[in-house]
Amino acid sequence: MTDVVNTAQAEAWNGYEGEHWASHADRYDAVNSGFNGYVLDRVRADDRVLDIGCGNGQLTRLAGERGRAATGVDLSGPMLATARARAADLPDVRFEQADAQVHPFPDGEYDLAVSRFGVMFFADPVAAFANIRRALRPGGRLAFLCMTALAGTDLGAVFGALAAYLPQPTGPDGSGPTSFADPDRTKAVLGEAGFEDVECTRVEADQVWGRDVPDAARFMGDWGPVRHHLGMVDEATAARAREALTEALRPFAGPDAVRLRGTAWLVTARRS
């Protein structure tokens, strides 16, 4: 891997977080794949696509099949191993372990940069997006998904049930997973990084968290941000938090799965 400045994220994604996502690739795709179409609709047949924070590589594979070729980059060795194995029969899809903020992408190599919830954790977002912009040809495009604010969402309701026992697993809006929850901030960051025609469109999709309530509660409790905060409290408090999580998921249970209606910003922009 080339130089890394986002050291805390590199540690997390090459430790428990990345290992859990790699071991449960299909489950995380069930959570997030409903959003794929919003990004894939932007891929043209002759596009060379760069997927930032590609994780287990589902979006990269689909973009490579729709476009000319696709490259996925991520900090996580465990997830990239899964991504490479799943794309072994796709010669125009490749993966690199890299910190997108500082990776020496070839200038103007790509027509489109995309991401599915993989751009919220940069140590320096302006520097990172300036580097991604440099990797795009003049007129190249950007399309990524990021979390909205949690207030008023299904996930916000579930996390709200944990508030009596744990800190908010995603942190305050404007940091961590919700670092781009404010469209005005997103537009300011991308503008400073040199992008034009920035637009933020709110989109929704069903997210499948488990086959039933106990299954979904176990999976969400083992999800990195929740697990981290469960480890910060005593055993009795953690048990009560898990009980609250289970009860909060019951309203979202259907006959075949637990589904939350997910919300995201689809952010699009252009390199001049």
Side-chain angles (χ1 to χ4, degrees), residues 5-40:
V5 295
N6 208 352
T7 53
Q9 290 298 320
E11 181 178 352
W13 291 107
N14 286 289
Y16 174 84
E17 190 88 43
E19 291 167 359
H20 193 261
W21 278 69
S23 298
H24 299 86
D26 290 337
R27 294 197 64 153
Y28 280 111
D29 282 340
V31 172
N32 291 322
S33 62
F35 289 99
N36 287 348
Y38 294 115
V39 173
L40 293 173

Side-chain angles (χ1 to χ4, degrees), residues 140-192:
R141 296 113 58 217
L142 174 69
F144 67 81
L145 293 155
C146 58
M147 288 181 65
T148 67
L150 291 174
T153 69
D154 289 355
L155 188 60
V158 171
F159 283 172
L162 298 175
Y165 310 101
L166 306 175
Q168 191 75 351
T170 59
D173 288 344
S175 65
T178 53
S179 60
F180 291 115
D182 180 358
D184 289 337
R185 177 177 186 268
T186 302
K187 292 176 181 179
V189 167
L190 292 178
E192 191 173 346

Side-chain angles (χ1 to χ4, degrees), residues 104-117:
F105 297 112
D107 289 353
E109 178 77 6
Y110 301 98
D111 304 289
L112 174 67
V114 302
S115 183
R116 188 185 76 183
F117 304 110

Side-chain angles (χ1 to χ4, degrees), residues 40-141:
L40 293 173
D41 285 347
R42 306 280 169 165
V43 180
R44 302 168 183 167
D46 60 347
D47 277 344
R48 298 161 299 170
V49 181
L50 175 64
D51 185 7
I52 305 297
C54 66
N56 292 308
Q58 185 190 53
L59 186 67
T60 320
R61 296 194 308 272
L62 295 171
E65 292 171 346
R66 184 169 295 203
R68 188 196 318 180
T71 299
V73 297
D74 203 286
L75 289 167
S76 176
M79 285 199 286
L80 287 171
T82 298
R84 291 184 179 113
R86 293 187 169 197
D89 60 343
L90 299 174
D92 295 323
V93 174
R94 65 188 183 92
F95 297 93
E96 295 183 33
Q97 189 173 14
D99 183 341
Q101 183 172 319
V102 294
H103 185 66
F105 297 112
D107 289 353
E109 178 77 6
Y110 301 98
D111 304 289
L112 174 67
V114 302
S115 183
R116 188 185 76 183
F117 304 110
V119 299
M120 294 98 75
F121 305 100
F122 292 129
D124 184 337
V126 173
F129 280 110
N131 194 43
I132 294 166
R133 176 187 178 276
R134 183 184 55 77
L136 292 170
R137 63 167 177 80
R141 296 113 58 217

